[in-house]
Amino acid sequence: MKAHLITYGCQMNEYDTHLVESQLVSFGADIVQGVDEADFILINTCAVRGKPVEKVRSLLGDLRKVKAQRPLVVGMMGCLAQLDEGQQMARKFGVDMLLGPGSLLDIGKALESNERFWGLAFRDELHDHVPPPPVGKLQAHLTIMRGCDHHCTYCIVPTTRGPQVSRHPDDILRELDSLLAAGVQEVTLLGQNVNAYGVDQGARLGGYPSFANLLRLVGRSGVRRVKFTTSHPMNFTEDVAAAMAETPAICEYVHLPVQSGSSRVLRRMAREYTREDYLRHVADIRKHLPHAVLATDIIVGFPGETEEDFQETLSLYDEVGFDSAYMFAYSPRPGTPSYKHFDDLPREVKTERLARLIARQKEWSARKNAAKVGTVQELLLRGDAHDSGFLEGHTRGNHPTVVPKAVGVTGPGVHRARIEHATPHMMYARLIDAQGNDLPELPNLNPEAAALSAPLTLA
Ligand code: 5AD
Ligand code: SF4
């Protein structure tokens, strides 16, 4: 079998793709990188907004045409597969198998089945399953929980991924050990709401540490860098910030989705915190980690959001001074409470507010990144940048960064670099040695790449 996997959506989906891919490899499949070479195509889908759903619809349309020409098995996994919307699509486009987020380990059964296979159960064995480490990667994801117990009114995730189930710490540490043995240097702990780790459906689980203590455990394992995503402000405790501050391996990067700066909108979103609560969490984080890099998610144009509400989002952005943000126009998702009960705002209002928010974010990212010029940052270099002669990677604060290759540093690894220039979305740095001296650049950089290393001004 020649299998090709296509992934939409979040880091949880990337982790799940890896999990299923490693199952396929254990069955003897070859993983191929293009549709043309494949006789099995599996699409890992996202349902959080309308856009990724439409992308899957058009891909399925294309694949139906390929299927008419030659033998091809098409499968859908992930969030959209769990929903009626996805199942209708699957029927319409002749999809052969569906695996919801809780049924990924049914992949073997699905491949053996001679008829259409629909796997939609939430299976317990997924939680103790430890996928093999990724091959030759310095970075890996590690799922510590699945599902979500919150019911934000705009969000389809509790429907697609079910209630929260925390993984047993022994399974997490076992997986961590295998990642470390494979040479992984940066591990990102994943969950819909990692702060609620160990408290499933309101009940604290015996033998499970709090999230802050899990961070301490993971941080002491010998892994070089630990990150986590994502956090719900309602479950954020000061002890998490304290654990971060006292554990050097934990990166000073916090992704804390605020969604809106207006307490009135937050109430309609059922977020269970106010603007003031959020600002208190930020103050706690800054108390323990004065140099923390803060990122957030924001939805603009939630039903009923007035211009005044939106101004409160802009003013919260300024008050916090986020380093970066993922920003979205509200997308009504069938099956969510806000879809059922509230009227969508006109599209122009949403896109205009989104544009204003993006402009504000750019200003702040420019300012924050410019303040890093001259500082020394630890970079995890993944490999060649788009332009040969350069390597790309990211800092502990998740800033995408580019460096010219240097003598002794021409491939992936963790190195120190001095930031020389910054734009809102990219940092340009120079590799340094242990004494802080510039490492000599590789001779004969190609002319195009050399031009890129010329000073860049802030956009
Ligand atoms: N519309 C727009 N954005 C959404 N998100 C979740 N649901 C919706 C929706 N219906 C955003 C939130 C969340 C991120 C993963 O996606 O900001 O934090
Ligand atoms: Fe969705 Fe809210 Fe759960 Fe996040 S916390 S997954 S936004 S319901």
Side-chain angles (χ1 to χ4, degrees):
M1 179 176 44
K2 289 186 185 329
H4 177 53
L5 291 88
I6 300 168
T7 309
Y8 294 99
C10 62
Q11 298 181 64
M12 297 284 284
N13 266 16
E14 283 172 31
Y15 178 92
D16 285 345
T17 296
H18 169 68
L19 187 154
V20 172
E21 191 175 279
S22 49
Q23 288 289 100
L24 292 171
V25 170
S26 76
F27 305 148
D30 285 332
I31 305 298
V32 296
Q33 297 310 321
V35 169
D36 294 345
E37 301 161 71
D39 50 31
F40 173 42
I41 293 176
L42 186 55
I43 311 167
N44 195 357
T45 60
C46 170
V48 86
R49 283 174 292 278
K51 253 192 207 154
V53 172
E54 289 320 308
K55 280 191 188 155
V56 170
R57 190 190 303 281
S58 89
L59 177 59
L60 287 175
D62 293 344
L63 291 178
R64 180 166 60 177
K65 287 181 207 142
V66 180
K67 253 173 111 115
Q69 308 290 322
R70 63 178 177 91
L72 177 68
V73 176
V74 174
M76 249 171 103
M77 61 183 269
C79 284
L80 184 57
Q82 194 69 30
L83 300 175
D84 283 347
E85 194 180 9
Q87 287 152 32
Q88 279 169 21
M89 227 182 255
R91 274 188 216 100
K92 176 169 170 198
F93 292 104
V95 168
D96 304 286
M97 71 168 77
L98 269 186
L99 296 173
S103 284
L104 305 179
L105 291 176
D106 285 348
I107 180 74
K109 264 195 259 165
L111 287 170
E112 278 166 17
S113 163
N114 291 323
E115 31 192 88
R116 246 185 205 188
F117 184 92
W118 257 216
L120 301 172
F122 289 94
R123 296 203 185 285
D124 287 344
E125 61 262 33
L126 196 53
H127 305 295
D128 20 277
H129 178 79
V130 175
V135 181
K137 294 250 170 81
L138 296 180
Q139 244 184 313
H141 296 133
L142 173 44
T143 288
I144 64 164
M145 60 177 1
R146 288 178 177 274
C148 182
D149 287 339
H150 284 278
H151 293 283
C152 307
T153 52
Y154 52 80
C155 190
I156 198 67
V157 169
T159 310
T160 60
R161 289 190 171 263
Q164 178 181 313
V165 181
S166 300
R167 271 180 100 189
H168 195 279
D170 291 350
D171 294 321
I172 296 172
L173 295 177
R174 201 152 51 93
E175 187 161 332
L176 180 65
D177 280 347
S178 87
L179 295 175
L180 294 184
V184 166
Q185 307 248 21
E186 181 180 294
V187 171
T188 303
L189 306 180
L190 294 183
Q192 233 61 53
N193 178 14
V194 291
N195 300 273
Y197 175 79
V199 186
D200 293 353
Q201 291 125 73
R204 168 152 290 291
L205 305 172
Y208 287 60
S210 66
F211 178 61
N213 285 336
L214 181 71
L215 274 180
R216 291 180 172 102
L217 272 174
V218 171
R220 284 199 295 262
S221 66
V223 61
R224 180 134 185 189
R225 309 207 315 192
V226 182
K227 292 178 180 166
F228 55 92
T229 197
T230 187
S231 313
H232 191 300
M234 194 219 160
N235 304 96
F236 198 91
T237 60
E238 195 181 335
D239 197 27
V240 170
M244 293 176 74
E246 72 194 43
T247 317
I250 302 172
C251 295
E252 46 287 346
Y253 171 78
V254 183
H255 178 237
L256 194 61
V258 65
Q259 312 298 2
S260 169
S262 152
S263 294
R264 198 183 73 86
V265 172
L266 289 170
R267 200 167 50 241
R268 284 164 67 85
M269 289 176 163
R271 289 288 287 177
E272 304 172 83
Y273 57 85
T274 61
R275 173 192 178 98
E276 290 69 34
D277 295 331
Y278 187 88
L279 290 171
R280 265 193 297 277
H281 289 310
V282 171
D284 284 343
I285 293 167
R286 293 236 161 98
K287 183 170 96 192
H288 291 275
L289 299 154
H291 301 296
V293 172
L294 276 173
T296 196
D297 291 357
I298 296 176
I299 298 176
V300 302
F302 185 75
E305 182 189 77
T306 62
E307 176 60 27
E308 290 74 50
D309 292 319
F310 177 64
Q311 287 299 331
E312 289 199 53
T313 295
L314 291 179
S315 75
L316 179 114
Y317 206 105
D318 291 340
E319 214 167 319
V320 176
F322 290 109
D323 293 81
S324 65
Y326 301 93
M327 297 157 288
F328 311 101
Y330 169 72
S331 170
R333 302 303 302 129
T336 58
S338 62
Y339 176 87
K340 235 176 280 165
H341 301 298
F342 302 142
D343 290 332
D344 197 10
L345 289 178
R347 181 205 285 258
E348 312 77 71
V349 172
K350 296 194 286 185
T351 50
E352 191 272 336
R353 285 182 191 164
L354 185 60
R356 272 191 282 160
L357 178 63
I358 291 172
R360 187 67 57 99
Q361 172 268 325
K362 253 188 158 174
E363 282 170 27
W364 271 106
S365 296
R367 208 173 301 164
K368 290 281 179 166
N369 288 357
K372 297 265 184 313
V373 171
T375 65
V376 170
Q377 302 283 331
E378 184 193 85
L379 296 183
L380 186 145
L381 298 171
R382 276 187 306 274
D384 279 3
H386 185 64
D387 298 273
S388 65
F390 284 74
L391 295 165
E392 66 176 7
H394 57 277
T395 64
R396 287 170 60 93
N398 263 1
H399 305 91
T401 307
V402 170
V403 287
K405 289 178 180 170
V407 171
V409 186
T410 56
V414 177
H415 296 280
R416 290 183 346 131
R418 185 175 297 106
I419 306 298
E420 300 210 308
H421 318 290
T423 69
H425 302 297
M426 187 64 77
M427 309 251 246
Y428 298 86
R430 198 158 294 270
L431 290 159
I432 58 172
D433 64 18
Q435 287 72 45
N437 301 314
D438 286 3
L439 285 174
E441 268 177 38
L442 277 192
N444 66 32
L445 278 181
N446 75 32
E448 222 178 296
L452 241 189
S453 73
L456 284 153
T457 42
L458 261 176

